[in-house]
Amino acid sequence: PEIRKKFSFSVSFALLPLPSPIMRPLYLSCCSSSSRYLSPITFFSSSSSSSLLPKPILPTFRTNPGFKFTQSRSRLSIRNCSSISAKPSSELRKKKGSLDSSKPEDKKLRALRQLFSKPGIGIDAYVIPSQDAHQSEFIAECYMRRGFISGFTGSAGTAVVTKDKAALWTDGRYFLQGEKQLNSSWILMRSGNLGVPTASEWLNDVLAPGAKVGIDPFLFSFDAAEELKEDIARKDHELVYLYDVNLVDEIWKESRPGPPNSPIRVHELKYAGVDVVSKLSFLRSQLVDAGCSAIVVSMLDEIAWLLNLRGGDVPNSPVMYAYLVVTMDDTKLFVDSSKVTPEVSHHLKNAGVELRPYGSILSEIESLALKGTELWLDPSSINAAIANTYKAAGDKHLESLGSEDNSKSKNPKVSNGSSGQSWGPCGVYRASPISLAKAVKNPCELEGMRNAHLRDAAALAQFWTWLEDEIHKGAKLTEVDVSDKLLEFRQQQDGFIDTSFDTISGSGANGAIIHYRPEPGNCSIVDSKKLFLLDSGAQYVDGTTDITRTVHFGEPTAHEKECFTRVLQGHIALDEAVFPATTVGFVLDAFARSFLWKIGLDYRHGTGHGVGAALNVHEGPQSISFRYGNTTPLQKGMIVSNEPGYYEDHAFGIRIEVQLQYSLDWIYKPAHPNRLKFISGGFISQNLLHVKEANTKYRFGGIGYLAFEKLTFVPIQKKMVEVSLLSDAEIDWLNDYHSQVWEKVSPLVEGSASQWLWDNTRPLVRQ
């Protein structure tokens, strides 16, 4: 349920395209973040473009994927959008002969536009992001408004509808999916491609000066809304906050799914590692250091981690819809009480946490502001409705104290302190302190992640044994059949709760759709003569997994083997990296791409994302990505994925993914880069890694060094490897990895699965 209150505020802001088209972020999109990969979020320092290894800084803002927060800096802009030759998806389909050009106008768009002129609305355009009110990457079905209005189901994307046009922006992971799902009424904007305007640039070009652009302020972070307001103001457009109504909901009506109501559960201390009282004590110490007396937490995974709770409101993510307000004296959880079991109620009471209705958060914010409370707000995650409620009530408080200047000012007077924080009338706007604390895993969380990955590896060994046997017997299996069978094997493992994202099961050309999701009746048969890409993960009571393998059931071509091997070489290079403790993710990203670059290939997504411990499969602030604006260093105890890939459109996809544990400061969740032009298809290798201390001979400058520990143990198909391309050291890495896979996983499987594991972990020998 949304919380709505009448206010009249207008907002605007500036977007900054990066110097190179391949490095441009996705400005208007949704998060961090289905994204199966890194969301397009960036941080900038004034020196970020002038140094290969900038001094790590604490980002003041964590921008949502739709917009980028900018300070004063040079601006590269497209001045005449009418000259841009971005092709609508309809034109691309006409070339394939798959679209009837006489298709009637989209009924949903027509109904939406009819609302523009209604009393109390009065807008010329409407922006529909992917997020819910908590800036979540995965969201409940009832909040999938952008998907409903456009038909595009990718996790990242922003729809913009004017009175006569409709456009959707998404990043390189979803170009092919967008072509398939958008009808002829929509223009597909391939964010990051040369000549493609940002959504704000496009609005400034297609709207007459002085137009009004509407948004639902609950669905935009504070800094995203401020950026949009400022950017469209360049053409005298006004950003209109529609507090009382969401226009998509007005169209959706009775067919809209109901709000989620799954019961909350306690995340046991043996998995959490730290009790709630201790975590709250840590948070209050952070408030004291920042000069605040309270904090509002809206990110769902931060609330779940802080309170040692897990929920089931969001598919694939064990979180519940809630807000949290922590003051120096009390803690209030704003949540639907019907989700609170007696066990959870007792757990919260023991930690001193009071329950409040989910819908009363705005009145609480207003009450705090009227008392002059110095409130900590993370502008990248707090929605604009909360931020503006606080500002309005704060202005009233200042007026009551005789602060005439502030009461007359339209906007709060803000100054930037040396710590990088910004002060409003009675608040501090800076990144949440919970994000980094959550990202650095404690020993209990790491142990749970290791155990969960071993059980998951056992399930995958059983699955691959079954699948190879079925394919060799000539069985006709769809991509959905395969995905469902994998789920069956995982469900047999102790502690299994859910998948950690929708399984990507792609045969042949479908593997080139980076976030492909097969659907019953609309998917392919798994072809033994084509590459098969499987990207999947699970939520266990003690950990979260994410793994990708690409295989061939027949004989791969020389080209497929070369591409796969170069992806593998990049995977190995990142896995073996040793780096100073101040290193940021974009420095490591090139390790994974360099072998593809040597032959003129690349991929359109980041190389690694953070992973939660029995929480969201994507978490910040850490990442490994080409996006150099993210200046957060990695820290010991963080977990990150290692997933380079290669994709040839309409042919295949390759990816190899593992999870890694490591030791570094923190990074944020960036976007997906552009890659070079591909022919068709893709490969991926993905493991998860843990950051650990490296035992180096020297410590130059007194700085410690870090390395990775593998968490994922599933064989990499050896027949996909072109051995002649590998060095002796790379062959040794692969053989050592397979030796560890056998040693760790074989005690957990038996029978045919044990034989399969043995066969697939034998040493690779150069002929």
Side-chain angles (χ1 to χ4, degrees):
E2 286 85 10
I3 311 128
R4 308 204 172 273
K5 188 171 183 178
K6 292 187 178 179
F7 282 99
S8 294
F9 290 105
S10 299
V11 196
S12 34
F13 65 54
L15 306 177
L16 172 68
L18 297 178
S20 167
I22 197 170
M23 303 297 280
R24 284 183 65 186
L26 170 61
Y27 299 100
L28 276 168
S29 110
C30 104
C31 209
S32 182
S33 212
S34 93
S35 266
R36 279 278 307 107
Y37 295 90
L38 315 175
S39 13
I41 302 175
T42 62
F43 294 130
F44 292 86
S45 67
S46 59
S47 61
S48 64
S49 60
S50 61
S51 170
L52 290 178
L53 184 57
K55 180 180 178 181
I57 60 172
L58 177 66
T60 305
F61 292 101
R62 181 181 64 204
T63 312
N64 83 32
F67 302 98
K68 222 175 45 253
F69 179 86
T70 64
Q71 298 174 352
S72 59
R73 56 175 66 84
S74 61
R75 176 182 174 85
L76 174 65
S77 61
I78 299 171
R79 299 187 179 278
N80 183 4
C81 294
S82 62
S83 65
I84 294 168
S85 58
K87 302 280 188 193
S89 55
S90 57
E91 289 189 27
L92 294 171
R93 285 177 175 165
K94 285 176 186 176
K95 292 180 180 179
K96 302 175 190 176
S98 60
L99 182 74
D100 179 2
S101 60
S102 63
K103 188 171 182 176
E105 180 190 3
D106 188 302
K107 292 182 180 179
K108 293 176 183 176
L109 288 177
R110 183 170 64 249
L112 181 67
R113 287 167 176 146
Q114 289 173 350
L115 297 176
F116 286 8
S117 58
K118 289 188 66 174
I121 297 177
I123 59 174
D124 302 288
Y126 193 57
V127 183
I128 308 153
S130 301
Q131 294 93 332
D132 56 22
H134 303 266
Q135 304 302 301
S136 306
E137 174 188 5
F138 298 120
I139 61 177
E141 188 178 1
C142 61
Y143 301 132
M144 295 180 181
R145 299 175 173 102
R146 189 225 58 221
F148 171 78
I149 195 67
S150 69
F152 171 70
T153 60
S155 65
T158 296
V160 182
V161 180
T162 69
K163 291 180 178 179
D164 59 354
K165 294 179 176 65
L168 183 134
W169 280 256
T170 192
D171 61 63
R173 298 165 295 162
Y174 297 107
F175 290 169
L176 293 180
Q177 184 174 339
E179 290 176 20
K180 283 187 172 185
Q181 293 183 331
L182 294 176
N183 65 37
S184 59
S185 297
W186 288 87
I187 302 170
L188 174 60
M189 293 293 190
R190 296 168 179 78
S191 292
N193 277 6
L194 183 63
V196 176
T198 67
S200 296
E201 290 169 337
W202 185 75
L203 282 168
N204 284 344
D205 187 67
V206 302
L207 295 177
K212 294 185 177 182
V213 178
I215 65 169
D216 181 339
F218 290 89
L219 306 184
F220 281 75
S221 69
F222 173 66
D223 57 8
E226 288 293 313
E227 281 184 61
L228 178 57
K229 175 186 174 184
E230 181 181 329
D231 205 53
I232 63 174
R234 289 183 168 85
K235 286 294 185 76
D236 296 323
H237 301 320
E238 177 187 356
L239 189 64
V240 178
Y241 281 175
L242 300 174
Y243 281 86
D244 300 319
V245 62
N246 182 286
L247 301 190
V248 175
D249 293 351
E250 292 296 294
I251 300 168
W252 212 343
K253 295 182 179 177
E254 293 78 13
S255 62
R256 183 186 177 199
N261 195 33
S262 299
I264 303 170
R265 58 185 170 86
V266 175
H267 188 56
E268 294 183 58
L269 186 58
K270 64 180 179 181
Y271 304 130
V274 180
D275 61 77
V276 179
V277 172
S278 298
K279 290 181 178 180
L280 289 173
S281 177
F282 154 78
L283 182 57
R284 289 185 172 112
S285 71
Q286 296 293 302
L287 294 179
V288 172
D289 291 344
C292 299
S293 51
I295 184 172
V296 180
V297 185
S298 65
M299 294 294 285
L300 303 183
D301 61 332
E302 292 185 4
I303 296 171
W305 178 85
L306 189 65
L307 298 182
N308 289 345
L309 295 175
R310 297 297 185 265
D313 284 350
V314 178
N316 312 124
S317 300
V319 296
M320 61 283 177
Y321 278 104
Y323 294 97
L324 186 71
V325 175
V326 180
T327 72
M328 300 306 298
D329 302 316
D330 55 42
T331 304
K332 297 177 182 178
L333 178 65
F334 296 78
V335 67
D336 183 346
S337 60
S338 66
K339 303 174 186 178
V340 180
T341 65
E343 181 188 13
V344 169
S345 180
H346 179 71
H347 168 80
L348 292 173
K349 184 177 180 180
N350 286 343
V353 180
E354 304 173 25
L355 293 177
R356 294 290 185 274
Y358 178 82
S360 65
I361 183 64
L362 289 188
S363 60
E364 178 71 16
I365 299 301
E366 187 173 22
S367 174
L368 289 169
L370 291 173
K371 296 174 185 177
T373 304
E374 298 289 346
L375 199 57
W376 184 329
L377 299 171
D378 183 340
S380 68
S381 59
I382 285 291
N383 64 55
I386 287 178
N388 284 333
T389 296
Y390 181 63
K391 176 198 173 303
D395 287 346
K396 289 181 182 178
H397 173 69
L398 290 176
E399 184 178 1
S400 69
L401 296 177
S403 299
E404 183 177 352
D405 288 343
N406 270 322
S407 66
K408 290 181 179 179
S409 176
K410 258 187 163 181
N411 299 304
K413 294 184 176 180
V414 176
S415 61
N416 293 322
S418 59
S419 64
Q421 66 191 33
S422 301
W423 295 86
C426 50
V428 175
Y429 298 82
R430 63 185 297 183
S432 168
I434 303 170
S435 179
L436 177 57
K438 175 171 56 66
V440 178
K441 308 299 185 285
N442 63 53
C444 290
E445 291 173 321
L446 289 174
E447 185 63 19
M449 289 291 280
R450 292 187 185 103
N451 292 335
H453 276 80
L454 292 181
R455 298 197 304 277
D456 203 52
L460 283 159
Q462 296 166 340
F463 163 78
W464 286 115
T465 302
W466 167 83
L467 181 58
E468 288 188 5
D469 184 55
E470 291 296 307
I471 294 295
H472 293 153
K473 289 190 299 187
K476 299 296 182 183
L477 299 171
T478 68
E479 295 161 331
V480 171
D481 292 334
V482 170
S483 177
D484 289 346
K485 191 66 178 182
L486 174 58
L487 177 59
E488 288 182 24
F489 284 115
R490 280 189 163 126
Q491 287 172 331
Q492 296 170 16
Q493 296 298 318
D494 291 341
F496 176 84
I497 293 174
D498 193 4
T499 55
S500 57
F501 55 92
D502 291 329
T503 297
I504 300 170
S505 170
S507 179
N510 290 337
I513 303 174
I514 300 174
H515 279 189
Y516 174 69
R517 178 185 176 185
E519 297 179 355
N522 187 27
C523 63
S524 298
I525 298 292
V526 176
D527 192 335
S528 64
K529 298 179 181 179
K530 296 179 180 178
L531 286 172
F532 176 68
L533 185 151
L534 185 74
D535 186 355
S536 67
Q539 294 286 1
Y540 294 94
V541 68
D542 51 350
T544 303
T545 70
D546 182 3
I547 175 176
T548 310
R549 289 295 182 265
T550 305
V551 303
H552 202 298
F553 301 108
E555 290 301 321
T557 66
H559 176 59
E560 290 170 338
K561 291 178 67 174
E562 179 185 14
C563 293
F564 182 95
T565 304
R566 290 188 177 276
V567 169
L568 176 61
Q569 288 176 299
H571 182 95
I572 294 171
L574 181 57
D575 180 271
E576 291 196 310
V578 177
F579 45 95
T582 54
T583 304
V584 295
F586 70 78
V587 175
L588 299 176
D589 183 73
F591 288 37
R593 297 179 191 270
S594 61
F595 294 91
L596 287 168
W597 285 350
K598 288 178 180 178
I599 58 172
L601 300 179
D602 204 342
Y603 49 94
R604 281 182 182 146
H605 57 73
T607 299
H609 57 82
V611 180
L615 259 179
N616 291 358
V617 73
H618 299 142
E619 77 168 13
Q622 72 274 23
S623 71
I624 298 174
S625 171
F626 71 97
R627 203 160 300 284
Y628 58 80
N630 187 339
T631 56
T632 306
L634 298 172
Q635 268 189 12
K636 177 183 177 181
M638 287 181 170
I639 293 174
V640 69
S641 65
N642 176 5
E643 48 183 310
Y646 173 66
Y647 314 84
E648 289 194 355
D649 295 346
H650 312 297
F652 62 79
I654 299 173
R655 191 157 67 242
I656 305 171
E657 177 181 8
V658 301
Q659 289 187 357
L660 309 172
Q661 177 191 346
Y662 63 124
S663 334
L664 288 149
D665 247 18
W666 59 300
I667 301 177
Y668 209 80
K669 235 173 156 177
H672 300 267
N674 268 334
R675 53 184 172 175
L676 303 180
K677 183 177 180 180
F678 307 121
I679 306 169
S680 39
F683 302 79
I684 302 184
S685 169
Q686 178 185 7
N687 285 4
L688 294 195
L689 306 175
H690 160 233
V691 182
K692 64 178 183 179
E693 292 180 354
N695 185 20
T696 55
K697 184 176 181 180
Y698 304 105
R699 288 195 167 208
F700 181 78
I703 297 174
Y705 280 70
L706 300 168
F708 294 115
E709 170 197 336
K710 286 178 279 291
L711 296 176
T712 307
F713 294 97
V714 174
I716 295 169
Q717 193 178 51
K718 295 191 294 291
K719 74 175 173 182
M720 285 297 303
V721 178
E722 178 50 64
V723 182
S724 65
L725 293 176
L726 295 182
S727 67
D728 290 343
E730 289 167 335
I731 292 176
D732 289 343
W733 181 94
L734 185 59
N735 289 338
D736 179 67
Y737 176 66
H738 281 154
S739 176
Q740 292 182 60
V741 171
W742 172 255
E743 178 185 350
K744 294 176 181 292
V745 183
S746 60
L748 305 178
V749 295
E750 56 188 16
S752 58
S754 179
Q755 185 62 51
W756 178 89
L757 193 66
W758 173 263
D759 293 341
N760 283 274
T761 54
R762 294 311 86 212
L764 182 67
V765 180
R766 196 185 297 277
Q767 299 296 326

